[in-house]
């Protein structure tokens, strides 16, 4: 069996970041600098790494970035105050609250304090409703990154059977809606799904967003299928691995994303895209004005 084509999220994300940089420079020429604010609460090491990467990518693309770091003991009221201050700041076009929050905080209430037009993670109820009803809005970065990666590799979704394993609000559910909007036929699997293996075998495009190292075995993949592995897990030997057995699956699939270097970098690239789009809209410019988009 031949080896699958690698869907290189790192290279694709770099190309998108270059496009964002050029569009952001055009926006700035017209007197509007796109601004992103990232709010990080607590000491979770993975969150610190993610925020650092987002901060760096946004700065590289010429966006104004501010990171608000708050201690693990921050109260709900203090966090809400910070978000409301950013909500009123005209220099801030995108607000991202890094999840998960410490368990004493109510993430849903904090997210709803973000105005929908600054909700670059696409998690407010208004943006979720826009996604489900097909209205314009900001889409969650990871699922948007999955779709963008497929688009750039000219892998169409129309009429395909997309099987999404995972139903979180952050990844699985929005991805299923984006695939549906692209005219795919969608199956969503989760922890109570029976015969997961059989569902996976029927996928033309299989997306794993579970958080269990190498749950999806190579022989669960239909020959010729496309595999998107969203999972980022630390294996017992310290390696970063996805939710898919990469070695096994890449012998059977026609195309597959690696971990790392697949969907992770695409997520960050889409955060920049969302921030730029939000800034452009606020400054009365269109994607076309910025020489952006297809
Ligand atoms: P969640 O924990 O919120 O959701 C996991 C989902 O997987 C749930 O819907 C759960 O089902 C389902 N699930 C759990 N066990 C099984 C099982 N045995 N069989 C089938 N489904 C199962 O995780 P996220 O969606 O936030 O993240 C998923 C993975 O993606 C993680 O590894 C995370 O680190 C990674 N991630 C990567 C990003 C990137 O940029 N590449 C960004 C975001 C996340 P149920 O609903 O029934 O509990």
């Amino acid at each position: 069996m031949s080896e699958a084509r690698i869907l290189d999220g790192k290279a694709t994300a770099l190309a998108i970041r270059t496009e964002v940089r050029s569009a952001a420079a055009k926006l700035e020429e017209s007197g509007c600098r796109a601004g992103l604010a990232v709010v990080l609460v607590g000491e979770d090491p993975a969150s610190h790494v993610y925020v650092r990467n987002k901060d760096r990518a946004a700065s590289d693309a010429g966006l104004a970035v501010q990171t608000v770091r708050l201690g693990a003991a921050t109260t709900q009221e203090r966090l809400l105050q910070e978000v409301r201050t950013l909500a009123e700041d005209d220099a801030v076009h995108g607000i991202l609250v890094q999840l998960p929050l410490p368990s004493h905080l109510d993430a849903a209430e904090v997210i709803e304090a973000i105005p929908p037009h600054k909700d670059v993670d696409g998690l407010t109820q208004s943006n979720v409703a826009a996604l489900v009803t097909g209205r314009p809005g900001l889409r969650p970065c990871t699922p948007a990154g999955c779709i963008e990666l497929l688009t750039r590799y000219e892998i169409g979704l129309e009429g395909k059977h997309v099987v999404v394993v995972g139903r979180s609000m952050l990844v699985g559910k929005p991805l299923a809606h984006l695939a549906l909007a692209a005219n795919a036929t969608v199956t969503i699997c989760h922890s109570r799904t029976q015969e997961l293996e059989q569902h996976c075998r029927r996928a033309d495009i299989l997306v794993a967003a579970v958080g269990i190292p190498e749950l999806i075995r190579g022989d669960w993949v239909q020959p010729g299928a496309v595999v998107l592995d969203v999972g980022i897990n630390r294996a017992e030997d310290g390696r970063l691995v996805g939710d898919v057995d990469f070695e096994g699956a890449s012998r059977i699939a026609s195309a597959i994303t690696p971990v790392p270097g697949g969907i992770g970098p695409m997520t960050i690239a889409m955060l920049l895209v969302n921030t730029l789009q939000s800034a452009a809209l606020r400054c009365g410019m269109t994607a076309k004005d910025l020489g952006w988009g297809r």
Side-chain angles (χ1 to χ4, degrees):
M1 201 68 73
S2 62
E3 286 287 312
R5 179 181 190 194
I6 301 296
L7 303 176
D8 188 342
K10 197 172 169 191
T12 307
L14 268 177
I16 295 171
R17 286 166 58 173
T18 304
E19 292 165 16
V20 169
R21 189 183 307 126
S22 138
K26 284 207 180 87
L27 190 63
E28 202 171 345
E29 278 165 24
S30 75
C32 179
R33 183 158 189 221
L36 171 68
V38 181
V39 181
L40 174 61
V41 186
E43 305 305 331
D44 178 49
S47 292
H48 276 260
V49 173
Y50 293 144
V51 166
R52 204 163 45 240
N53 291 342
K54 287 168 186 174
D55 190 321
R56 195 175 299 150
S59 301
D60 281 354
L63 312 189
V65 195
Q66 52 171 303
T67 303
V68 179
R69 290 189 168 78
L70 300 169
T74 301
T75 62
Q76 180 79 3
E77 204 39 55
R78 169 79 207 287
L79 178 55
L80 284 171
Q81 253 171 31
E82 288 289 343
V83 173
R84 287 179 189 134
T85 302
L86 296 168
E88 282 166 18
D89 186 342
D90 288 340
V92 173
H93 303 100
I95 303 171
L96 179 146
V97 176
Q98 182 67 40
L99 301 176
L101 290 174
S103 57
H104 67 282
L105 296 170
D106 178 352
E109 188 186 22
V110 174
I111 286 164
E112 286 311 311
I114 303 172
H117 64 275
K118 294 191 181 189
D119 167 31
V120 282
D121 238 353
L123 295 176
T124 56
Q125 290 192 20
S126 166
N127 278 317
V128 172
L131 169 64
V132 174
T133 56
R135 280 186 289 113
L138 290 162
R139 307 302 193 218
C141 301
T142 301
C146 292
I147 301 292
E148 186 67 23
L149 189 63
L150 292 175
T151 305
R152 294 204 178 218
Y153 275 91
E154 298 182 342
I155 298 170
L157 286 142
E158 182 155 331
K160 301 277 178 62
H161 183 200
V162 174
V163 175
V164 182
V165 188
R167 58 173 167 180
S168 71
M169 289 306 293
L170 199 60
V171 189
K173 278 183 191 158
L175 182 57
H177 281 288
L178 288 173
L180 200 56
N183 295 321
T185 300
V186 180
T187 298
I188 309 176
C189 302
H190 46 79
S191 67
R192 314 290 171 87
T193 295
Q194 293 182 8
E195 300 184 336
L196 177 63
E197 184 179 334
Q198 300 309 325
H199 288 290
C200 292
R201 284 212 172 97
R202 286 193 282 270
D204 299 315
I205 298 175
L206 178 60
V207 187
V210 181
I212 300 180
E214 300 176 334
L215 170 76
I216 314 281
R217 307 310 306 162
D219 62 0
W220 296 12
V221 174
Q222 173 169 222
V226 172
V227 178
L228 302 184
D229 191 352
V230 178
I232 304 177
N233 312 290
R234 192 64 72 182
E236 278 174 15
D237 60 8
R239 281 178 311 134
L240 269 191
V241 297
D243 291 342
V244 178
D245 159 28
F246 181 85
E247 289 303 317
S250 59
R251 281 196 287 274
I252 297 172
S254 62
I256 188 167
T257 58
V259 177
I263 302 302
M266 290 299 294
T267 297
I268 295 182
M270 298 317 288
L271 171 66
L272 307 186
V273 168
N274 279 352
T275 307
L276 183 79
Q277 285 180 344
S278 176
L281 205 64
R282 282 283 125 181
C283 300
M285 296 187 75
T286 64
K288 210 171 155 203
D289 295 332
L290 300 173
W292 165 265
R294 288 179 299 272

